[in-house]
Amino acid sequence: MVHPSFKEKRIWITGASSGIGEALAHAFAREGAHLILSARNTDALQQVAAKCLELGAASSEVYALDLAQHAAIPGVVAQVLKSAGKIDILINNGGISQRSLAKDTGIDVDKRLMDVNYHGTVTLSKAVLPGMLLHQLGHIVTITSLVGKFGSPLRSSYAASKHALHGFFDSLRAELGPDAPIKIMLVCPGFIRTEISKNALTGDGSKQGTMDNATGQGMEPSSLARKMLRDIAKGKNEAYYGGKEVLAVYLKRFVPGYFARMIAKAKVT
Ligand SMILES: NC(=O)c1ccc[n+]([C@@H]2O[C@H](COP(=O)([O-])OP(=O)(O)OC[C@H]3O[C@@H](n4cnc5c(N)ncnc54)[C@H](OP(=O)(O)O)[C@@H]3O)[C@@H](O)[C@H]2O)c1
C-alpha cells in the first residue's frame, strides 16, 4: 500500500480506457478506492473496471465521456454525483497528442487539440468543483506534459493546449489560496510507453498510427502511476516524471538561450 488516504476515496479518472489512465486505475484499485472510470471506449473501460475489482477496488463504475462534447459534460457529472455522492479526487488524464509541423497543421486540428485537452478538461473540472467547494474537500490532478512547460518541434497545438492547462489550474490554485482544502496538482510526464503516439493527430487530422521510438522506450505507465500516487498523497502542486527529458524543464528555466538552440535541433519523434 502506498498511502492509506486513498482507501474508500471516490476517484474519477478520465482517459481510463488505455495507457496512463488505465495504470492509474489499477494503482488506485490496489489501494481500495471507489473508482469512476471514463473515456469514449466503454468496452475497454468495462475490462479495466473488471480488472480493478480483481485488484481490490471498493467499487468500479464506468461512465462514457467525450471530452470534446462540452455541452454533455455537466449531465455526466450530475449522473456520477447522484451515484457516488461526491468526488474526492478528479484525475484529468484523457487527451490526445499531435505529430506535425505548425505550418502543415490545419486550424481544425489546432481546435480539436484545444477542445479535447483544454476545454474538455476545464468544463469537467468546473462541473466537479462546486461539489468540492460544498464539502470543503477535494483534489484535482491534471496530466499535462513536459511540453506544458516548454515548446517542442511537431507539438505546437499539443504544447499550446497543455500550457493553457497550466495557466488555468495555476490561477485556480491561487484563487483557492495556499492552505485550501481543495488541492490542485499539475502532472508533467515526459516519454511514457502508451498508445499516445499512435493516437496522435497529424496535420490533416488523421491518426499517426505508429509508435514513436522515444515513446516506445519510455517509462512504463505502471511505474509512473506508482510515483504519481506517492506525490498526490504528498499534496504536491506540480511534478515532472520521465527520463533525461525532464532536464529540459530546468534548462528552459535557467539557461533559456542554450535551451532554445538545443530544442530547435532536437530530433523529436
Ligand atoms: N504517453 C506519454 O508519453 C505522455 C506524455 C505526456 C503527457 N501525456 C498525457 O497523458 C494523458 C494520457 O495519455 P496516454 O499516454 O495514456 O495515451 P493513450 O494510451 O492514447 O490514452 C489516452 C486516453 O485518453 C482518452 N481520450 C482521447 N480522446 C478523448 C476524448 N475525446 N474524450 C474522452 N477521452 C478521450 C482515450 O480514451 P478513448 O479513446 O476511449 O476516449 C484514452 O483513454 C494524455 O493527456 C496525454 O497528453 C502522455
Side-chain angles (χ1 to χ4, degrees), residues 25-217:
H26 292 170
F28 282 121
R30 289 190 187 93
E31 302 293 319
H34 290 280
L35 290 169
I36 299 138
L37 307 175
S38 285
R40 293 166 304 172
N41 184 342
T42 48
D43 288 345
L45 283 175
Q46 293 294 357
Q47 290 183 26
V48 177
K51 177 77 181 172
C52 285
L53 290 176
E54 274 174 35
L55 291 172
S59 66
S60 186
E61 291 189 11
V62 165
Y63 288 85
L65 177 85
D66 185 339
L67 287 165
Q69 299 294 320
H70 305 145
I73 290 176
V76 181
V77 173
Q79 281 176 37
V80 169
L81 288 177
K82 197 171 167 199
S83 165
K86 64 176 179 135
I87 305 301
D88 297 300
I89 306 178
L90 170 64
I91 311 268
N92 286 314
N93 165 75
I96 44 170
S97 192
Q98 171 217 5
R99 298 292 185 270
S100 51
L101 295 172
K103 71 179 179 64
D104 300 332
T105 304
I107 286 291
D108 49 341
V109 176
D110 295 325
K111 286 182 178 165
R112 175 81 187 163
L113 267 289
M114 287 302 286
D115 273 348
V116 174
N117 293 354
Y118 178 74
H119 292 295
T121 298
V122 167
T123 305
L124 177 60
S125 302
K126 283 191 171 188
V128 167
L129 185 62
M132 290 184 170
L133 289 169
L134 185 72
H135 293 287
Q136 281 294 290
L137 205 62
H139 207 144
I140 301 180
V141 178
T142 302
I143 320 291
T144 69
S145 167
L146 289 182
V147 297
K149 304 298 289 180
F150 56 83
S152 165
L154 304 172
R155 304 284 195 281
S156 54
S157 332
Y158 179 64
S161 70
K162 298 295 191 175
H163 274 70
L165 287 168
H166 280 262
F168 179 85
F169 283 106
D170 281 345
S171 301
L172 176 59
R173 188 192 302 110
E175 289 175 5
L176 292 168
D179 304 316
I182 298 157
K183 298 202 178 311
I184 304 293
M185 179 182 185
L186 289 154
V187 171
C188 311
F191 297 114
I192 314 296
R193 185 130 64 100
T194 70
E195 302 292 291
I196 191 86
S197 63
K198 291 185 186 170
N199 292 327
L201 303 185
T202 61
D204 64 6
S206 59
K207 285 187 181 182
Q208 172 171 266
T210 54
M211 177 71 96
D212 291 345
N213 284 339
T215 304
Q217 291 164 17

